[in-house]
Amino acid sequence: MYAKTQAIPETVKVQSDNGTLRLQFSTKYNPIFGGKRKHQGLGLKDTPENWQKAIAIAWRIEGDLQHPDWQQLFDPSFAKYGLKTKYAAELKLAAPIPEPEPEITVGEMWEDYLVWKQPQLQPTTFELLYRISYTNPIKGKVYDKKNRVYLMLDNPLWDERLDGKIIECLSRFTCCAATKRSIISALSEAFLRLQSQEKTKLRVNPFAGIDSSTTPNKTDKYKSVVNVDGTVDLRWWDKSDTETDPEERDRRAFTKEERDIIIKAFYESEKANVRQAAPLVEFLFLTGCRSGEAFALEWKDVFLGRDKDCIRFSKSYNGRLKNTQVPKTGETRIFKIYPKLENLLSKIKPVDAKPTDLIFKQQNSKTWYIGHFAKLWNTYELKCSQKTYTYPGVVTQLVEEGKISVYLSPYHTRHTFITLMAQAGTDLLLLAAACGNSVDVIQRHYLGINTEARFPDI
């Protein structure tokens, strides 16, 4: 074969076959050749002059096939291109050249992904995270806190095709960096699933390697050390945190003194509804259970006595969905009662309590839910006509008065319990089982790593 000295067509190429030249057609044209890949002999010997001639023929044929009116221009007998009849194929067009099917939109991919993902998640996690927190930014919905309405962004990612301007759409996300990272991870999983089903022609994941502009968590004590030369010093505790719940990932805690100040402030509040929540606040600090688990707890779940002396966490209440479901981990946990917790339960248990009575109820005897409970904890605003009234929450007010150092959400009652218990030397396996956690997580995130520890000489 002789070296080519000019550009060649992309879909109609010239080849040398046993000393003669032929045309090789791209698989794109298979439909017009009866569904098979086509080779067409030219009847020309493999010489430099014939290569130039063959390339010119290939250009003409490709130009006709790429033209919108190709069916009128393309000559399947090849006589139009100067080929003798005895070398021309007697062809009949089997079908028009199909236009490549456009890639589906991100929204179509996402909806299909949610149908697949839903059975794998707790109803609360699916509804609040995937259906709301993740789906709204993809749809271009931004919540206006001031007017309490959703605003729609132009050209949302939802309507973009997978081969479109993905990065540009993601750059317009207004959610926090952690949520954006989680969304990109879910979109990447959705694409890989689509790819495995051969529902996309893309070979490169458009969501892989995208910088979510996340800022490293300043509370992460175990971040790997990056050297000047770019190498990374991995410690033995370096391991990816697979927890996706942002409330679980932020494991900051109140001190024991701050915990006691908060509990006392609830009990001594001038407001009756705040005092009503005081036993609930103390219970959350003394058990480390999730708020929904405390909201759903009934007296039949508490076993007081020498032989049993435990609490059974087997369900969780979600106020937004207004349903009771299994706990986040899907498992029933047994929590051993200790003296301080026993004193609290004995103090608040009514004499005529029925097994199915809720342990913690609002003033109106309704079930607690996190939305209402959070209003007592944090500052909230109430709009009436043209005025806005601000009501400071207990913990917010304590921070403003300088009585505690930092504001943390109600969920941090859980992190406070685990931290204080772990630092007090509690058996980690007992603590992990009681809180629905793992010893590994407690060691890495609630306890300082003792790099000086050594095996004893035994």
Side-chain angles (χ1 to χ4, degrees), residues 6 8 18 41 43 70 95 129 198 208 213 230 313 329 336 404 415 439:
Q6 64 186 81
I8 60 174
N18 294 325
W70 69 272
L129 279 184
E198 298 183 349
S213 300
F313 291 108
T329 59
K336 293 186 177 182
I404 62 176
H415 300 311
V439 173

Side-chain angles (χ1 to χ4, degrees), residues 172-424:
R172 293 197 292 269
F173 276 23
T174 58
C175 55
C176 68
T179 301
K180 184 177 179 181
R181 179 177 61 242
S182 298
I183 294 173
I184 293 174
S185 176
L187 287 168
S188 180
E189 183 182 41
F191 177 82
L192 293 176
R193 175 174 176 270
L194 195 75
Q195 199 174 48
S196 68
Q197 296 175 320
E198 298 183 349
K199 292 182 179 180
T200 176
K201 295 181 180 178
L202 297 180
R203 291 293 173 262
V204 178
N205 186 346
F207 305 101
I210 294 179
D211 179 15
S212 58
S213 300
T214 56
T215 302
N217 190 344
K218 295 181 180 179
T219 64
D220 186 359
K221 298 176 289 185
Y222 312 124
K223 180 183 177 184
S224 302
V225 178
V226 181
N227 300 318
V228 178
D229 60 358
T231 58
V232 180
D233 288 339
L234 294 179
R235 308 304 186 191
W236 63 268
W237 58 73
D238 281 322
K239 184 178 179 182
S240 298
D241 191 343
T242 57
E243 178 59 61
T244 58
D245 188 341
E247 289 186 316
E248 285 282 8
R249 289 180 67 92
D250 183 1
R251 297 180 175 91
R252 292 176 293 168
F254 293 107
T255 64
K256 183 178 180 181
E257 292 73 20
E258 289 175 329
R259 177 202 68 180
D260 295 340
I261 290 172
I262 294 171
I263 293 173
K264 182 180 179 182
F266 270 89
Y267 275 112
E268 297 180 352
S269 174
E270 297 178 353
K271 300 177 181 178
N273 61 337
V274 175
R275 294 195 302 272
Q276 180 81 10
L280 171 60
V281 172
E282 185 176 5
F283 183 83
L284 291 172
F285 271 122
L286 295 183
T287 61
C289 71
R290 298 175 178 88
S291 57
E293 295 170 342
F295 299 157
L297 204 62
E298 299 171 333
W299 283 113
K300 66 181 181 181
D301 298 314
V302 176
F303 304 91
L304 293 172
R306 295 181 180 178
D307 297 332
K308 298 177 181 178
D309 214 25
C310 64
I311 300 173
R312 176 182 60 204
F313 291 108
S314 60
K315 51 189 178 295
S316 178
Y317 179 76
N318 182 273
R320 295 183 68 175
L321 300 180
K322 292 182 173 55
N323 67 358
T324 300
Q325 58 197 34
V326 297
K328 179 180 178 180
T329 59
E331 299 177 350
T332 296
R333 304 196 315 279
I334 300 300
F335 187 100
K336 293 186 177 182
I337 296 175
Y338 55 100
K340 183 177 286 189
L341 180 57
E342 182 179 9
N343 291 338
L344 170 64
L345 293 170
S346 299
K347 180 177 65 176
I348 65 175
K349 184 176 182 179
V351 178
D352 58 346
K354 297 178 182 178
T356 55
D357 286 348
L358 292 173
I359 296 178
F360 304 105
K361 293 183 287 188
Q362 300 185 56
Q363 277 186 302
N364 57 10
S365 296
K366 290 185 178 180
T367 306
W368 279 104
Y369 64 93
I370 191 61
H372 185 67
F373 178 64
K375 290 180 180 179
L376 306 181
W377 186 277
N378 189 12
T379 298
Y380 75 98
E381 295 181 347
L382 179 64
K383 288 188 176 182
C384 293
S385 301
Q386 301 298 322
K387 292 185 177 181
T388 300
Y389 299 91
T390 301
Y391 297 91
V394 173
V395 179
T396 304
Q397 201 162 7
L398 290 173
V399 175
E400 293 175 353
E401 294 171 356
K403 294 181 179 179
I404 62 176
S405 61
V406 64
Y407 172 84
L408 297 174
S409 73
Y411 203 91
H412 288 79
T413 57
R414 171 176 172 79
H415 300 311
T416 300
F417 171 79
I418 298 175
T419 299
L420 295 180
M421 281 294 181
Q423 292 177 349

Side-chain angles (χ1 to χ4, degrees), residues 11-32:
T11 61
V12 183
K13 298 184 181 297
V14 178
Q15 291 182 333
S16 178
D17 181 41
N18 294 325
T20 61
L21 300 179
R22 69 177 185 180
L23 300 178
Q24 176 185 323
F25 291 83
S26 167
T27 55
K28 174 182 179 180
Y29 302 124
N30 283 2
I32 72 170

Side-chain angles (χ1 to χ4, degrees), residues 136-177:
N136 283 345
I138 295 173
K139 286 186 174 181
K141 297 174 68 174
V142 180
Y143 188 67
D144 182 354
K145 294 183 179 179
K146 183 177 180 180
N147 299 308
R148 299 185 179 183
V149 295
Y150 279 101
L151 305 177
M152 294 298 298
L153 297 175
D154 294 332
N155 304 317
L157 179 63
W158 186 272
D159 298 330
E160 197 70 25
R161 297 197 179 276
L162 290 174
D163 54 356
K165 301 176 181 178
I166 300 297
I167 296 180
E168 182 180 325
C169 292
L170 286 171
S171 67
R172 293 197 292 269
F173 276 23
T174 58
C175 55
C176 68

